[in-house]
């Protein structure tokens, strides 16, 4: 597999998008504030678990095992889901997933005047396949019912965080969106006022709309059940109120047994929002006459995932349980917010997942959107070694660049080749050291290096750079040895 | 003890004072320091930027140069992290059994400077005197890859006259990250700003660390802001005695 992108040379997509995002002071304040609060809560809740590291190992081990035998567990899930009265559909890519969903909705919804409506909850995967635009194009109106997703949809905005999609908005901004989209005359700006308005708006949808679309945090092979965890209860409404439930999940979300949930229901809430438990844990197994949806469809989405299974380093990316802890810990995410990543998956996990799953402009720059500080790895509840995966993907980007003419003559590649040559030829390296000490003279401004051209310009734009000392360490060492020889003689 | 010094290419070229300080501390403690001239770079810059093929000869050269050393002292946490995290993997990927065996034999003898003092030599008080207010930035690689924990702090606390001041949000990255600082200058600068604000908030006159790369970034930011705070590698502080003051 390779990084999925059409462009050859290193396209500066992330740096440019980040620069733009960083001009929005309000957004940065909101992101900083929210991530700090969640980080603090997470730390507290993790600290009270004496076996946290072992729990992380367990989570990693379950995921590892499942992905190694993924075909087996997926088929087991299909069997057990259909035995319980559900129906499983397989989607190779985004287009197939959307086509299946549209077909199902049209089958059940008929051709209502003014279009068919569907309520949606907790499905980042549907954003991955761009389901909402596809539904709209087919005359189907989707309503997001998770509060944050609803705010993003109403604000005609993009999600900026994988757990808290509207994290970049503060409540005054949310109030403005509600007043406009819900056509309200007045609205207070206290959290309770906003929650009230959302409740009234959503309740009407829950009672009226007959088709629900959800994601799932886990699909349990042993029982054929899907599990959705959330903190508002809106997900539970979507799972129980409609006549028809369509659940879209990535194939990596399957876990072998009901017992395995035990591990993840501890790891996820503490990592995601710093809660001991999710307020709502809904499990849904097939259909039950007279209770809840009478038709239950699961769409299992591949969309590039099976390609990651072969390589151990890449496979680990699929361990992700989408807790968002790595985003909150990441200093890069905290400066830029999620939009700069150009994908629904932002932050450190986005930087490794998006280039592997999506072909996008940012593919080549995302693996470099990290200082490799390791904070993401430290917090990841399933121990995904994100820094290592970033380096692995960088290796792919470099090799693909080197295979093209433009990539091979790019200044970065030439510089790296030259450095590699000097480092393996100590004599020439030494000469280069002295040459650099002399050669920098025209660049000096007073006792500092002035603005530099090209790649290094970013350094001198924001920071000072002291000149190269005239004597290197090895020079010093040599002159000292000479001195000692003299003295010994 | 005979201790071989791997000074790291950027220390060699840009921060020779650090290597000089390491030499002076170790010799003061009665050890013999060797500097094999064949050494250059551990390969980290190439490897972390994705130039994996280019990093491999550097690994071979390093192993060749230090294979017979009793102990290797490296005054750069990130270089040691490169060796511990990647050398075995790189050799495995190459299917080079001999290289792998050499790497495995050498790795346990490689110490980051504070590790060498505390773990290998069993010291905390190295007889230094430095009468200034100092704050310490734990670089990400020392913290999360080497897990040096409070070893540098234990060394600093034993320095006579030194007042150690806690750095706020100290575990946050300074924004350097090797080529990250060049490829993502704006984000790197924003991360740096948080760090320099924290450093300035301490009231210290010196900011210390185990990595000159981070210190180059932090100094670059402080100096641009006109701050008089200086940066020093831990070794440079430990090299100071009453006689040098
Ligand atoms: S990579 Fe780890 S920390 Fe990040 S969202 Fe996924 S599970 Fe959470």
């Amino acid at each position: 597999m390779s990084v999925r992108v059409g462009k050859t040379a290193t396209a500066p997509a992330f740096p440019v998008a980040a620069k733009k995002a960083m001009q929005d002071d309000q957004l940065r304040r909101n992101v900083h504030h929210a991530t700090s609060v969640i980080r603090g809560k997470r730390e507290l809740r993790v600290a009270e678990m004496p076996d946290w590291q072992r729990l992380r190992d367990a989570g990693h081990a379950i995921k590892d095992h499942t992905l190694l035998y993924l075909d087996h567990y997926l088929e087991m899930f299909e069997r057990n889901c259909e035995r319980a009265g559900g129906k499983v559909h397989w989607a190779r890519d985004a287009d197939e997933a959307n086509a299946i969903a549209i077909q199902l909705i049209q089958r059940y919804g008929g051709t209502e005047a003014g279009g068919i409506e569907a309520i949606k909850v907790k499905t980042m995967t549907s954003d991955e396949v761009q389901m909402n635009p596809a539904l709209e194009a087919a005359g189907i109106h989707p309503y997001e019912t998770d509060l944050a997703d609803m705010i993003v949809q109403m604000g005609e905005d993009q999600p900026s965080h994988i757990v808290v999609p509207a994290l970049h908005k503060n409540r005054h901004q949310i109030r403005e969106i509600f007043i406009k989209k819900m056509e309200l005359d007045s609205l207070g700006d206290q959290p309770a006022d906003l929650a009230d308005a959302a409740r009234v708006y959503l309740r009407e949808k829950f009672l009226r709309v007959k088709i629900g679309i959800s994601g799932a945090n886990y699909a349990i092979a042993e029982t054929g059940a899907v599990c959705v965890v959330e903190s508002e209860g809106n997900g539970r409404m979507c799972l129980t109120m409609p006549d028809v439930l369509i659940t879209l999940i990535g194939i990596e979300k399957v876990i072998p047994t009901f017992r395995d949930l035990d591990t993840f229901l501890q790891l996820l809430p503490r990592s995601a929002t710093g809660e001991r438990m999710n307020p709502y844990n809904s499990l849904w197994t097939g259909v039950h006459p007279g209770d809840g949806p009478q038709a239950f469809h699961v769409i299992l989405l591949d969309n590039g995932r099976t390609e990651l299974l072969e390589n151990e380093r890449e496979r680990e990316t699929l361990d992700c349980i989408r807790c968002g802890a790595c985003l909150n810990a990441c200093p890069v995410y905290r400066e830029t917010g999620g939009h700069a990543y150009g994908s629904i998956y932002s932050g450190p996990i986005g930087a490794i997942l998006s280039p592997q799953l999506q072909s996008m402009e940012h593919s080549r720059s995302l693996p470099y959107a990290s200082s490799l500080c390791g904070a993401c790895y430290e917090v990841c509840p399933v121990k995904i070694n994100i820094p290592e995966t970033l380096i692995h993907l960088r290796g792919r980007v470099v090799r693909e660049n080197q295979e093209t003419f433009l990539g091979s003559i790019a200044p970065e590649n030439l510089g790296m080749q030259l450095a590699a040559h000097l480092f393996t030829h100590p004599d020439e390296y030494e000469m280069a050291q002295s040459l650099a000490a002399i050669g920098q003279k025209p660049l000096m401004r007073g006792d500092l290096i002035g603005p530099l051209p090209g790649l290094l310009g970013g350094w001198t734009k924001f920071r000072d750079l002291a000149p190269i000392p005239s004597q290197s360490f090895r020079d010093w060492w040599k002159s000292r040895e000479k001195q000692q020889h003299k003295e010994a003689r | 003890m005979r201790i071989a010094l791997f000074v790291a290419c950027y220390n060699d070229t840009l921060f020779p004072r650090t290597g000089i300080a390491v030499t002076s501390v170790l010799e003061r403690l009665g050890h013999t320091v060797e500097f094999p001239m064949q050494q250059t770079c551990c390969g980290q810059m190439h490897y972390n930027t994705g130039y994996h093929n280019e990093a491999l000869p550097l690994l071979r050269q390093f192993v060749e140069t230090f294979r017979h050393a009793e102990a290797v002292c490296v005054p750069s946490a990130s270089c040691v992290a490169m060796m511990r995290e990647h050398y075995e993997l790189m050799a495995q990927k190459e299917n080079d059994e001999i290289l792998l065996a050499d790497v495995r034999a050498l790795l346990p003898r490689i110490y980051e400077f504070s590790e060498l003092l505390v773990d290998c030599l069993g010291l905390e008080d190295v007889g230094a005197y430095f009468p200034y207010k100092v704050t310490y930035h734990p670089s990400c690689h020392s913290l999360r890859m080497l897990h040096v924990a409070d070893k540098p702090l234990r060394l600093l606390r034993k320095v006579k006259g030194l007042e150690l001041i806690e750095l706020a949000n100290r575990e946050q990255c300074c924004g350097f990250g090797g080529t990250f600082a060049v490829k993502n200058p704006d984000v790197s600068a924003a991360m740096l700003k948080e760090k320099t604000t924290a450093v300035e908030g301490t009231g210290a006159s010196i900011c210390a660390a185990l990595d000159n790369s981070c210190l180059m970034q932090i100094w670059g930011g402080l100096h641009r802001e006109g701050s008089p705070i200086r940066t020093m590698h831990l070794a440079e502080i430990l090299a100071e005695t009453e006689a040098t003051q």
Side-chain angles (χ1 to χ4, degrees), chain A residues 469-486:
Chain A
S470 54
Q471 190 184 40
S472 69
F473 177 76
R474 64 180 66 222
D475 282 346
W476 174 81
W477 185 271
K478 276 199 261 179
S479 62
R480 187 176 88 134
E481 287 208 314
K482 228 184 255 165
Q483 191 67 30
Q484 284 169 347
H485 269 302
K486 236 191 251 165

Side-chain angles (χ1 to χ4, degrees), chain A residues 4 20 34 53 133 159 198 322 331 357 361 379 406 418 444:
Chain A
R4 293 166 174 261
K20 191 161 153 252
Q53 295 308 328
R322 309 283 191 267
L357 290 189
E361 206 195 335
V379 297
L406 283 180
L418 175 65
M444 301 279 293

Side-chain angles (χ1 to χ4, degrees), chain A residues 40-91:
Chain A
K41 280 172 72 186
R42 188 204 80 96
E43 249 160 61
L44 221 65
R45 291 292 165 248
V46 163
E48 58 185 31
M49 301 283 283
D51 59 346
W52 182 251
Q53 295 308 328
R54 287 175 57 202
L55 211 55
R56 286 175 77 203
D57 288 332
H60 187 85
I62 296 170
K63 281 286 184 180
D64 228 33
H65 168 86
T66 317
L67 290 171
L68 270 180
Y69 304 100
L70 191 59
D71 47 349
H72 168 75
Y73 287 115
L74 285 171
E75 281 168 17
M76 189 191 287
F77 172 78
E78 179 180 39
R79 263 196 318 279
N80 291 324
C81 176
E82 300 206 334
R83 188 174 299 153
K87 172 83 184 105
V88 171
H89 308 259
W90 300 82

